[in-house]
Amino acid sequence: MSDVPPPAAPPTLPPGEGCHGGRETMQAAARAAGKSAALDRMLADYPRGPHDQPQSMCPAFGALRVGLRMRRVATILSGSACCVYGLTFTSHFYGARRTVGYVPFNSETLVTGRLFEDIRDAVRASARPEEHDAVVVINLCVPTASGVPLDRLPRQIDGVRIIGIDVPGFGVPTHAEAKDVLAGAMLRTARLEAEAGPVARPRDRQEGEPLVAPIGELFPADPPGIAALLRPMGLGLAPPLPAREWRDLYASLDCVAAAALHPFYTATLREFRAAGRPVIGSGPVGAEGSAAWLEAIGRAAGLPAARIGAATDQAVAAIRAALARHPIQARVTVSGYEGSELLVARLLIEAGAEVPYIGTALPRTEWSEPDRTWLEARGAHVQYRASLEQDLAAMREVRPDLALGTTPLVQAAKEQGVPALYFTNMVSARPLFGPAGAGALAGIVAAQTRQSGRFSRMVSFFEGVGARDAAGYGFAGKPADPPGFRERQRKLRAMRVKADEAVGS
């Protein structure tokens, strides 16, 4: 292992500027510190618009989650202490029971370049081949803006891969896309390893079985369901990406097609294309969606039309039967930041629901085009990079029987007596694909829409409570002390002082 020197030009950030310097200030500082190429790549992979950035949690949450889910992977954060403290919540929330490394810094270590040396020392201490396959280092906002060059870390130490990424809030719009930053960086490393020579054999790999590689964090029941749809075509399913262990990356690359089930994994899908693998958008959701997806997968795998047709007919028949058993008669708005919002809306519509609005915090990409086209042909408005204000406006205008959305949208809907569910915990935590997905949503939609009368009674009962002049203690203006309050408090303090002096004597 070569001894990597610190950067020749010390990283700098304008005096007095830090986490709260503003996006433009931080971007300008990062470009001045030599991060222009990295920022340009982020802008290309994660485009803005129709407005700059959705309201979301810290993007690094997503990258940290990907690392914590993987076996034998250590994660080190480099950023402001307050940010790191908040992000460690991820490990507790997901029950990862994993240590999150942290390299602290101050103005001196940041400006002199000592921070880079501290990160390098932390990587050396963590790169233990008996414990880890890889060590991930994540630059948060301030180190990125200061130009801390993680690309100058060793590529490997004693066989342990070292992967450094920048995930600044001023460069990566959402935490979902930050998952792609790390997943793509890992897949690139795995691809280069596979091209250079033999690699570790993936677990449970059947020799000669053509695989389809699913992209996106899936509900645990979905991979077996997708595998059942592919089996009649003689295809298997690779481990989903983001991966659970390093050798899964090799299995995913050894595929006949990559399935962009979540369509925002731009960097990850770029690696599949670099490996010569075709990428298929959308997913096997609903009858029409499943038929189109299976046909596209079959063509990409070079299968005969008869085999594709037989598998498609079998799948569509089962899904149509499930949809018939679980009809949905309701008007529903859908919004979220998981990347599956368009697929959920398709399933709802095929089940009979009216879905006039779909908002997603993710950008428009080529892999979501089949879903967007299908939805808009059925009268739905698809809003990419949706803001909370747009989601709220749609909910208030449509007045749905059920609103699926983010926490603040759910709160606002219930305040108006509209039944609502948190998309991430209540919708994403259910099967979506194949026959299982066709019946998963009907139950929760029916259960929630039956609550509309109850919500109306609650809103009427609590009308005016905790709002406007009734908020807090009910003060509409500046609170006034009760008569004699300050004098009584002065006397009480004096009595306590005398009592303390008496004890001391």
Side-chain angles (χ1 to χ4, degrees):
M1 180 192 71
S2 61
D3 190 29
V4 181
T12 59
L13 194 65
E17 300 293 353
C19 297
H20 308 292
R23 184 179 298 115
E24 291 75 15
T25 300
M26 299 289 274
Q27 287 176 343
R31 291 188 181 279
K35 292 284 187 177
S36 291
L39 289 179
D40 290 342
R41 170 54 65 187
M42 292 176 197
L43 285 170
D45 286 350
Y46 315 116
R48 309 300 193 267
H51 68 279
D52 185 45
Q53 190 166 22
Q55 298 93 327
S56 177
M57 63 191 76
C58 171
F61 180 99
L64 179 59
R65 171 170 164 75
V66 168
L68 289 175
R69 292 179 74 243
M70 290 188 70
R71 303 182 186 95
R72 292 179 52 83
V73 171
T75 304
I76 298 173
L77 296 178
S78 171
S80 299
C82 55
C83 300
V84 174
Y85 177 78
L87 285 167
T88 57
F89 160 78
T90 311
S91 62
H92 303 296
F93 183 82
Y94 290 107
R97 291 181 292 182
R98 302 274 289 278
T99 297
V100 179
Y102 169 46
V103 181
F105 65 87
N106 54 36
S107 298
E108 181 180 353
T109 61
L110 191 66
V111 172
T112 61
R114 177 66 202 179
L115 175 57
F116 175 82
E117 297 179 12
D118 291 343
I119 292 172
R120 185 180 58 191
D121 293 344
V123 166
R124 286 172 175 165
S126 302
R128 298 183 292 271
E130 69 276 9
E131 296 181 14
H132 300 131
D133 293 329
V135 174
V136 175
V137 185
I138 301 176
N139 263 349
L140 304 181
C141 288
V142 172
T144 299
S146 300
V148 176
L150 298 182
D151 56 343
R152 299 192 62 183
L153 292 171
R155 293 287 182 266
Q156 64 86 24
I157 299 175
D158 296 333
V160 178
R161 305 156 185 89
I162 310 301
I163 299 174
I165 57 173
D166 295 306
V167 190
F170 58 83
V172 182
T174 66
H175 82 284
E177 288 157 297
K179 297 176 186 177
D180 178 50
V181 176
L182 181 51
M186 287 184 164
L187 194 63
R188 175 175 173 77
T189 301
R191 178 177 66 82
L192 295 176
E193 291 174 351
E195 291 174 353
V199 295
R201 181 182 179 84
R203 299 181 193 276
D204 304 322
R205 178 74 168 93
Q206 299 297 320
E207 192 66 37
E209 181 185 39
L211 297 178
V212 174
I215 315 300
E217 286 194 293
L218 306 179
F219 179 72
D222 272 328
I226 299 172
L229 296 176
L230 294 171
R231 197 170 298 121
M233 292 197 293
L235 300 176
L237 195 70
L241 293 180
R244 299 307 297 268
E245 64 176 335
W246 192 270
R247 64 178 66 196
D248 289 348
L249 299 168
Y250 305 134
S252 295
L253 287 166
D254 186 22
C255 67
V256 294
L261 302 176
H262 289 185
F264 58 86
Y265 282 88
T266 306
T268 303
L269 294 169
R270 183 166 55 244
E271 297 305 318
F272 280 102
R273 285 183 163 171
R277 306 297 189 256
V279 177
I280 306 301
S282 191
V285 60
E288 293 185 32
S290 297
W293 186 80
L294 288 170
E295 184 177 349
I297 291 289
R299 288 199 309 267
L303 301 180
R307 190 190 300 180
I308 297 173
T312 300
D313 291 344
Q314 178 180 332
V316 168
I319 293 169
R320 289 198 190 282
L323 290 170
R325 290 194 301 271
H326 304 282
I328 297 176
Q329 301 298 323
R331 182 188 298 116
V332 184
T333 57
V334 179
S335 54
Y337 45 66
E338 297 295 329
S340 59
E341 291 78 27
L342 275 64
L343 295 174
V344 168
R346 286 193 66 157
L347 185 56
L348 288 168
I349 290 174
E350 284 210 37
E354 177 191 353
V355 184
Y357 174 83
I358 304 105
T360 176
L362 283 306
R364 178 175 174 176
T365 69
E366 60 180 288
W367 302 291
S368 66
E369 281 301 283
D371 302 319
R372 182 194 63 80
T373 302
W374 191 92
L375 289 165
E376 290 184 348
R378 286 153 183 80
H381 173 75
V382 178
Q383 182 64 58
Y384 292 101
R385 289 284 189 228
S387 66
L388 173 61
E389 290 77 14
Q390 289 170 318
D391 291 343
L392 289 172
M395 183 269 296
R396 289 167 180 147
E397 179 180 343
V398 170
R399 193 72 186 182
D401 301 310
L402 177 64
L404 306 178
T406 57
T407 303
L409 182 131
V410 169
Q411 177 183 348
K414 290 182 176 180
E415 287 175 352
Q416 298 180 40
V418 175
L421 283 176
Y422 180 34
F423 186 95
T424 298
N425 284 7
M426 301 303 295
V427 179
S428 289
R430 283 173 167 75
L432 178 59
F433 303 109
L441 290 181
I444 60 171
V445 172
Q448 293 299 314
T449 52
R450 284 197 297 265
Q451 304 293 325
S452 57
R454 183 180 179 187
F455 272 115
S456 297
R457 292 194 300 273
M458 290 176 64
V459 170
S460 176
F461 181 82
F462 289 105
E463 185 176 6
V465 176
R468 295 179 297 279
D469 291 344
Y473 288 101
F475 292 119
K478 181 180 178 180
D481 293 332
F485 172 80
R486 291 184 180 277
E487 180 62 22
R488 288 195 299 273
Q489 292 300 310
R490 186 188 65 75
K491 291 180 179 179
L492 286 172
R493 286 195 296 272
M495 291 171 62
R496 283 196 295 267
V497 169
K498 293 185 71 172
D500 291 341
E501 291 175 347
V503 171
S505 61

